[in-house]
Amino acid sequence: MTKDEQTNSHAALTDDNHKALWSGRFAEGPDASAVEFETSIYVDERMALDDIAGSIAHATMLGECGIISAEESKQIVKGLESIKNDLKNGSLKIDYSAEDIHSFIEASLTDRIGEAGKKLHTGRSRNDQIALDEGLYLRRVIPSLVQDIITLIKTLVEIASQHKETLLTGFTHLQHAQPGTLAQHLLAWATMLSRDVERLKDSLKRISLSPLGSGALMGSTLPLNRERTAELLGFDSVTLNSLDSVSDRDYCLEFTSDFAILQSHLSRMCEEVVLWSTVEFGFIDLREKWSTGSSIMPQKKNPDFAELIRGRTGKVYGDLINLFTMIKALPLAYDRDLQEDKEPLFDALDTVQANVKIFTAMIATARWNVERMEKRCAFLERAIKKMNLSNVRVRCAQVSTLEANSFDMLVLRAFHPFTEQIAHLLLSITRQGGTIVAYKARAERIQEEMQGVSKAIPSYTKIPLTVPFLEDHERNLVVI
């Protein structure tokens, strides 16, 4: 079998440079099906540049400490730089017969510079190497997700600024409750997302220490300078406990939890978009390029993209449960189970980042049916115009139990046919010394105590709302 045939079948290569890093212990190589089963390179190939960055720092430190010669250190660094450039320009392809991305990089390096390439692994284990690579990768890509969320926040704020006076019914229990504005509703979405930004930034703080130098689990007897590699890689300092350093996957749980919460927000927002796009609501009209049709019902215009974002929520939740289940009951330190951390972590990240981008494009081009929203809000508007609830002093009668149906609603029937809804607007309940006090409207007193006519929108919806979010790692306030 040729090398190309072996590569295509994902069998173990016989070339010494491409054997597994642990192969010296065994007289025979692994079975091809075993290699296929245990390899991770299909998943961890995305960390190639991070692996190279960590290796450059490690080789630099080894040379500075005299563990390898300065010349060997320079050779290794130069070789790694050439691999990085070739991966970027596409002239070097990932060899999927390699066990993982670490093995591929080291084998490629040895192919290029010879025996000196094998010295890169001096004082390092793949256990601390993968912990480093994952930290570097997350530190590199999370700011991009944060920026995408900020772009969505800005989009919502821009739409809100155009609809500060656009009436929109507020719902509780999905029933008409109180009138508000479209701006306030969109800013509620933006506020959810601002918390997602804060969570992600906070999670980055806990991957600010370098695990490199922890070795397999007990460090190294070589005079490594861990602080130097941490400095070269931009970490704040080094981790304190080598056992924990190679077995810690809290950051996988934490970031995936952040992704799951972000996804829950997107799902809630998409649910409202789906509802609002129906004939029954008619509040939003999604552009055709962000809708699909039916193969049998030509009149249909379906909000499929909102539904797909909503539908992928279970996928992200599943990734989080996958990680929690994997971590459960693992003894210290490293166990091969931990190889399985990357797929759910990366899947959750990819899913939410794609969802944020799609939702941003979809909502930015949507049309809002202002007339329809205000018409659906009309019954509450007319009622509040007739009764200024904030100024009505309703006489109270103390009762031992609350019997909502006993309230006198005669006066309300004169104002609007939706007596039950308006009655709830007038009802206020409070506790005083354990006694329930019910405030009962009395027809003979209400007209005397009404102070003018209220505006169409309750005063609290006029209060400027601030939406905190981060841009270029600085806090800004957008006021609507």
Side-chain angles (χ1 to χ4, degrees):
M1 182 181 288
T2 67
K3 183 178 292 187
D4 286 342
E5 289 172 335
Q6 289 174 321
T7 299
N8 291 337
S9 66
H10 208 174
L13 296 181
T14 57
D15 190 305
D16 285 344
N17 288 347
H18 293 268
K19 284 184 178 179
L21 294 178
W22 43 264
S23 61
R25 163 67 176 78
F26 296 90
E28 61 178 349
D31 186 85
S33 60
V35 174
E36 182 72 34
F37 181 80
E38 60 94 29
T39 187
S40 64
I41 194 166
Y42 289 113
V43 178
D44 58 32
E45 64 174 304
R46 69 171 65 195
M47 297 187 296
L49 298 182
D50 308 290
D51 190 80
I52 291 172
S55 294
I56 288 174
H58 183 65
T60 300
M61 179 274 295
L62 291 176
E64 291 176 352
C65 292
I67 299 173
I68 63 175
S69 70
E71 180 58 32
E72 288 171 328
S73 176
K74 289 179 182 178
Q75 279 185 277
I76 292 172
V77 170
K78 184 177 179 180
L80 290 168
E81 291 284 4
S82 70
I83 293 172
K84 178 178 70 174
N85 293 334
D86 289 348
L87 284 172
K88 283 184 172 182
N89 63 35
S91 60
L92 175 63
K93 304 298 183 183
I94 299 292
D95 178 1
Y96 292 106
S97 69
E99 186 177 24
D100 51 40
I101 195 61
H102 324 299
S103 304
F104 168 72
I105 297 297
E106 291 192 29
S108 299
L109 178 66
T110 305
D111 285 343
R112 295 186 182 210
I113 70 172
E115 287 299 305
K118 295 181 179 180
K119 294 190 176 182
L120 173 60
H121 204 65
T122 304
R124 185 173 69 171
S125 164
R126 285 187 298 175
N127 294 359
D128 60 346
Q129 190 175 355
I130 186 56
L132 173 71
D133 287 2
E134 289 180 342
L136 289 173
Y137 175 77
L138 290 169
R139 285 162 64 90
R140 176 166 61 89
V141 300
I142 291 300
S144 173
L145 174 59
V146 168
Q147 189 56 54
D148 289 338
I149 300 172
I150 289 172
T151 299
L152 175 52
I153 291 173
K154 285 182 175 180
T155 300
L156 294 172
V157 169
E158 174 59 29
I159 299 171
S161 68
Q162 301 167 20
H163 292 280
K164 292 185 286 186
E165 303 297 327
T166 300
L167 285 176
L168 176 67
T169 302
F171 295 86
T172 61
H173 311 281
L174 206 56
Q175 303 295 320
H176 288 239
Q178 290 177 298
T181 64
L182 177 58
Q184 187 180 18
H185 201 106
L186 295 178
L187 291 179
W189 290 359
T191 304
M192 294 182 203
L193 295 168
S194 70
R195 293 195 297 273
D196 294 314
V197 169
E198 295 289 349
R199 260 185 292 273
L200 289 167
K201 280 207 66 179
D202 193 60
S203 295
L204 283 171
K205 297 176 185 177
R206 278 172 290 287
I207 54 171
S208 62
L209 303 179
S210 170
L212 192 59
S214 298
L217 72 162
M218 292 295 181
S220 173
T221 58
L222 296 172
L224 304 176
N225 187 342
R226 297 187 62 206
E227 288 74 15
R228 176 59 173 153
T229 53
E231 177 188 7
L232 290 170
L233 293 169
F235 287 98
D236 294 343
S237 186
V238 298
T239 55
L240 297 178
N241 186 288
S242 59
L243 275 171
D244 178 67
S245 298
V246 299
S247 60
D248 169 36
R249 291 300 184 272
D250 288 1
Y251 54 89
C252 293
L253 296 171
E254 187 168 0
F255 278 105
T256 308
S257 178
D258 295 343
F259 303 153
I261 296 171
L262 168 59
Q263 181 62 31
S264 75
H265 292 157
L266 293 171
S267 181
R268 295 179 71 184
M269 291 152 60
C270 285
E271 170 67 11
E272 292 188 311
V273 169
V274 171
L275 285 173
W276 291 352
S277 67
T278 62
V279 173
E280 287 74 15
F281 281 81
F283 295 168
I284 190 172
D285 180 20
L286 298 175
R287 295 291 294 272
E288 290 186 356
K289 62 183 179 180
W290 293 111
S291 305
T292 65
S294 168
S295 61
I296 195 172
M297 296 171 285
Q299 82 280 7
K300 295 293 295 296
K301 182 182 178 184
N302 301 324
D304 279 18
F305 294 94
E307 292 173 344
L308 285 169
I309 294 173
R310 183 183 63 186
R312 289 173 184 172
T313 303
K315 183 181 180 185
V316 179
Y317 289 0
D319 289 329
L320 180 58
I321 296 302
N322 185 340
L323 285 165
F324 271 116
T325 306
M326 180 196 72
I327 292 293
K328 181 188 74 66
L330 282 186
L332 293 177
Y334 183 86
D335 300 280
R336 193 62 182 270
D337 310 52
L338 296 177
Q339 176 179 295
E340 300 300 300
D341 64 346
K342 291 173 283 297
E343 192 165 5
L345 174 66
F346 296 161
D347 179 69
L349 170 62
D350 293 346
T351 300
V352 295
Q353 188 151 29
N355 287 349
V356 168
K357 290 178 178 179
I358 293 298
F359 188 88
T360 301
M362 178 182 67
I363 205 70
T365 57
R367 302 183 184 92
W368 298 92
N369 192 338
V370 174
E371 182 179 351
R372 173 77 170 180
M373 286 188 283
E374 293 189 346
K375 184 177 180 181
R376 293 297 299 271
C377 207
F379 80 86
L380 288 174
E381 177 186 349
R382 292 195 299 270
I384 292 177
K385 280 182 178 179
K386 292 181 178 181
M387 292 183 292
N388 187 336
L389 301 180
S390 63
N391 291 329
V392 172
R393 295 182 180 85
V394 183
R395 298 297 184 183
C396 68
Q398 185 169 319
V399 294
S400 57
T401 59
L402 176 61
E403 299 179 15
N405 291 333
S406 69
F407 289 109
D408 187 353
M409 300 179 185
L410 291 175
V411 66
L412 303 179
R413 296 192 180 99
F415 292 136
H416 199 272
F418 291 88
T419 55
E420 295 294 332
Q421 287 95 327
I422 305 305
H424 286 92
L425 290 177
L426 286 176
L427 181 62
S428 177
I429 302 170
T430 185
R431 286 188 178 276
Q432 295 180 356
T435 301
I436 296 178
V437 179
Y439 292 83
K440 179 180 179 182
R442 295 191 179 186
E444 66 273 14
R445 301 294 299 166
I446 283 182
Q447 291 189 353
E448 297 178 11
E449 297 183 2
M450 292 180 70
Q451 301 293 320
V453 177
S454 70
K455 295 181 180 179
I457 307 172
S459 59
Y460 63 82
T461 66
K462 291 290 191 178
I463 298 173
L465 300 174
T466 59
V467 179
F469 65 96
L470 299 167
E471 184 175 20
D472 297 329
H473 307 293
E474 295 180 358
R475 180 179 296 281
N476 297 290
L477 289 178
V478 175
V479 180
I480 292 298

